[in-house]
Amino acid sequence: MSIIYGVSTVSSFLLLLGYGALVRKKEIWMLLLFTSVFIINVGYFTLSLSKTLEEALLANRIAYLGSVFLPLFMLMTIAGVCRLRCGKWLLGGLICVSIVVFLIAASPGYLDYYYKEVSLVFVNGVAKLEKVYGSLHKCYYIYLFAYFAMMIGTILYSVWKKQIAFFQHASLLLVVVLLNIAIWFVEQLIHWDFEFLSVSYIISELLMLILYSMLQEYEQLQPVTETVVKEALQKEPEAAEPEAVVTFEIDQIVAYWSEVVKLSPREQDIFRAILEDKKRKEIAEELCISENTVKTHITNVFSKFEVSTRSELFAKVMQSKIGCE
């Protein structure tokens, strides 16, 4: 059993190294996801080799460190794939909740609220914790259920809003989430000496890598046509003159055009809306902000791109796209 945990640990470490070394455009949440899977496997492996209860509890805390934060990293990774943004206040709240849950899960050995009783036993020479769950152990179940629900909800919402490019991408994301849910439920219903989640997490990493490579290579099948109208920027810096119809792929521009890094997350939302030829009122309603705020953001976007009209912005976008082809 320790050998299997060791292989899982080495595999997760190699995947982490491979992602860090081979992927040029790294996503921070994906990197943290890979790191958490490695930490989980380190915890399981060191637990299997433990000789004393103190060593086993320490290894258990290491495993929980990865297990508690992994749902957060997976949710943020899924949100990124679905092109959905998480507000700073919401992200901060999720991080705080994760820290509290981890502290509760790490309390055995100090407090008896998470495990009422815990002892170290050996099965075929492999160390294992025998536990009697306490009242606070339910918090971890609630925590996992909430994250599973948020992951599925995020995927379904992105499909409904057409934020995700292809149905295959959404299907693959659902497979990742449902695979881990299914294995977790099986482990709760059937007593196993081996933690199969350690393997399912590695499978999830591989599936996420496949999805990530698909997203990197895909071409948007239905390009969006932009027509600049005469009245485009009333009360905005310098009214725009009509130009010829231009066609470009908004998703690729927002995701891969190097100039977009100049913009804040909210300004990127405004930039996307401009490319979609939406008026201030439409943008304000969609983002739940005032028209004056939209006007301010548009002014900032124009300033950062060193243009004064939508026509000039479209021309600059098209010029950069042609230059890269």
Side-chain angles (χ1 to χ4, degrees), residues 103-259:
L103 291 175
I104 292 172
S107 64
Y110 304 106
L111 302 171
D112 59 359
Y113 297 110
Y114 194 73
Y115 297 153
K116 285 183 181 179
E117 299 176 11
V118 59
S119 59
L120 182 65
V121 298
F122 294 90
V123 179
N124 297 323
V126 177
K128 180 185 175 184
L129 287 175
E130 285 287 346
K131 302 155 284 191
V132 177
Y133 294 135
S135 57
L136 289 183
H137 193 270
K138 295 178 182 177
C139 294
Y140 185 61
Y141 289 160
I142 295 172
Y143 176 81
L144 291 179
F145 283 139
Y147 266 105
F148 285 146
M150 285 189 287
M151 290 176 200
I152 294 174
T154 298
I155 297 168
L156 296 179
Y157 178 80
S158 69
V159 172
W160 177 50
K161 287 291 187 178
K162 298 181 180 178
Q163 291 290 101
I164 197 163
F166 299 118
F167 180 75
Q168 299 97 305
H169 297 167
S171 300
L172 193 54
L173 282 176
L174 279 174
V175 168
V176 171
V177 177
L178 295 177
L179 171 68
N180 288 285
I181 293 175
I183 292 179
W184 184 83
F185 267 111
V186 169
E187 288 197 335
Q188 305 310 306
L189 297 174
I190 302 175
H191 179 74
W192 300 96
D193 292 327
F194 180 75
E195 295 283 354
F196 283 96
L197 277 174
S198 63
V199 176
S200 76
Y201 290 149
I202 294 175
I203 296 174
S204 297
E205 285 184 310
L206 293 172
L207 292 175
M208 292 298 287
L209 275 178
I210 293 171
L211 176 59
Y212 188 81
S213 64
M214 291 167 61
L215 290 172
Q216 289 286 82
E217 296 174 359
Y218 93 97
E219 292 287 331
Q220 186 74 6
L221 294 181
Q222 298 180 351
V224 181
T225 300
E226 303 295 340
T227 305
V228 181
V229 294
K230 296 180 180 180
E231 61 198 74
L233 286 178
Q234 292 179 357
K235 298 183 182 179
E236 291 170 6
E238 295 187 32
E241 293 296 328
E243 291 187 354
V245 175
V246 291
T247 302
F248 44 78
E249 298 162 351
I250 293 177
D251 286 338
Q252 288 188 323
I253 292 168
V254 175
Y256 305 122
W257 189 28
S258 60
E259 293 293 311

Side-chain angles (χ1 to χ4, degrees), residues 30-63:
M30 182 83 84
L31 187 60
L32 290 172
L33 175 64
F34 277 52
T35 303
S36 65
V37 172
F38 172 62
I39 291 173
I40 291 170
N41 279 282
V42 168
Y44 289 152
F45 179 57
T46 53
L47 174 56
S48 69
L49 299 176
S50 298
K51 302 301 182 183
T52 66
L53 179 59
E54 289 73 19
E55 291 177 359
L57 288 174
L58 177 59
N60 193 55
R61 294 183 191 111
I62 293 173

